[in-house]
Amino acid sequence: MKTSQNITLLPNRTFPRLDGVEPNMSLDDAERLNTYWNFNDHTAPQLTEPGWVTVPKKSWCAFKENGTDSCEPLATPRKPIDNGGFTSWIKECAPELINFVDFIKETQPDYAFMLTRWFAVAEPYENGPDNLNNDTVYLEMKSQLKKILPYIKKKWFILDSFPRVNTIAIERIVKEMKIGITTMSEINQELYKPQRFELGRHRHAELVKNECGSKYELIDYVDAFWNKTMNAFQYFDSNGFSYFTTGDHLSAHGLEHVRQIYTDICARL
């Protein structure tokens, strides 16, 4: 598992894949790599950006935003977060909102990317989906957007909400495929964990429609993970390689799966 692999570069590729997946790999290979991704999660060397320098007294790095302990730039959680029982973010994230504003104000980038969780923006509505102007979370999102957007010269890309994965089922993917009794559709159903993501999508959509103009664009993963044949979300490929980790993040294989989305964005910047 820890042995480095020599990845063959294909003719249309000048860089190795992040996931180390090659053609004709077996279910055993999928089980091995899924375990590696679960164990290392985002700390795997393939996913670690070298050369960053911490900015003194700031919560970001010199070359890129480094996040603020997974708090969300547009809103702060007001309810216990469904993420392994963690509740401290309710108090910790509120003062972090200003850090995101300060970072954008200080750097004034041409383009900014917000790739984060959606716990806060998908909290239950206070007055239903049609009354967002009386919804505390939406109003905070709107306020943050108005503080940040003027300092972004061209465009702000924000990852839209998409359904999470039932992490306890990830380790069963290959085992169930080897047995051959459970279908791919049934395994994906075990992995599906919707939990309010639609609420975040609705709030984002209203921001785009009413507040942002052309400077705000959503990055949507739904199409990338939607299998039209199964009419369901797909969380692993036909060879058993998981797109997600037990740490609730995209695996290296999942990052390769959505790579084309960012290739397309970069091509038109």
Side-chain angles (χ1 to χ4, degrees):
M1 190 181 303
K2 294 182 180 179
T3 303
S4 60
Q5 293 175 277
N6 292 320
I7 306 301
T8 303
L9 295 181
L10 301 177
N12 63 340
R13 228 180 151 104
T14 58
F15 51 88
R17 292 177 62 97
L18 294 172
D19 56 11
V21 173
E22 293 190 300
N24 303 317
M25 280 187 160
S26 66
L27 285 175
D28 288 334
D29 291 317
E31 191 164 36
R32 173 176 57 84
L33 286 175
N34 287 350
T35 302
Y36 174 79
W37 299 328
N38 291 337
F39 181 77
N40 289 281
D41 199 40
H42 63 285
T43 64
Q46 300 92 329
L47 306 182
T48 303
E49 180 72 31
W52 59 271
V53 178
T54 301
V55 177
K57 298 182 181 180
K58 301 291 185 179
S59 60
W60 54 79
C61 296
F63 67 93
K64 279 184 181 178
E65 164 67 16
N66 196 36
T68 53
D69 300 325
S70 292
C71 294
E72 298 167 48
L74 290 180
T76 183
R78 287 168 173 77
K79 301 179 184 298
I81 299 170
D82 176 27
N83 188 49
F86 294 116
T87 59
S88 62
W89 290 345
I90 298 175
K91 294 181 179 179
E92 292 175 359
C93 286
E96 295 290 353
L97 290 180
I98 192 62
N99 283 338
F100 290 102
V101 176
D102 287 345
F103 170 71
I104 296 296
K105 187 175 181 179
E106 183 174 313
T107 58
Q108 299 199 23
D110 289 335
Y111 300 96
F113 288 81
M114 188 185 96
L115 311 174
T116 186
R117 305 166 192 256
W118 46 258
F119 295 122
V121 301
E123 285 190 356
Y125 302 123
E126 291 181 334
N127 301 285
D130 299 325
N131 295 286
L132 292 186
N133 284 328
N134 294 313
D135 181 87
T136 301
V137 171
Y138 180 77
L139 292 176
E140 187 165 66
M141 294 168 69
K142 181 177 175 180
S143 173
Q144 280 291 100
L145 182 120
K146 288 186 174 181
K147 293 175 183 175
I148 292 175
L149 208 57
Y151 299 106
I152 298 174
K153 297 184 180 71
K154 296 183 179 180
K155 186 164 287 190
W156 190 9
F157 294 90
I158 295 183
L159 181 63
D160 206 352
S161 305
F162 66 99
R164 299 175 72 192
V165 63
N166 181 19
T167 57
I168 63 174
I170 291 177
E171 294 178 350
R172 299 199 295 264
I173 292 174
V174 173
K175 292 180 177 64
E176 295 187 5
M177 290 182 73
K178 284 182 174 180
I179 295 173
I181 299 176
T182 310
T183 66
M184 189 170 184
S185 179
E186 290 171 333
I187 298 174
N188 273 302
Q189 188 59 40
E190 292 178 359
L191 291 164
Y192 181 55
K193 186 179 180 182
Q195 287 189 296
R196 307 192 315 267
F197 81 98
E198 297 96 338
L199 281 66
R201 293 179 70 83
H202 178 56
R203 287 188 173 107
H204 279 150
E206 289 300 301
L207 275 181
V208 170
K209 182 173 69 174
N210 300 322
E211 307 296 338
C212 307
S214 61
K215 287 182 68 175
Y216 180 106
E217 183 173 325
L218 292 174
I219 300 172
D220 196 353
Y221 281 0
V222 165
D223 286 345
F225 292 107
W226 182 258
N227 185 306
K228 295 180 180 178
T229 302
M230 292 191 302
N231 196 34
F233 286 100
Q234 182 174 339
Y235 293 99
F236 64 101
D237 68 16
S238 58
N239 295 314
F241 293 96
S242 175
Y243 294 136
F244 294 86
T245 72
T246 51
D248 262 323
H249 301 130
L250 285 178
S251 67
H253 195 53
L255 290 172
E256 286 292 345
H257 187 66
V258 300
R259 182 191 286 273
Q260 190 60 45
I261 293 175
Y262 296 97
T263 301
D264 293 341
I265 289 174
C266 292
R268 56 186 170 85
L269 293 183

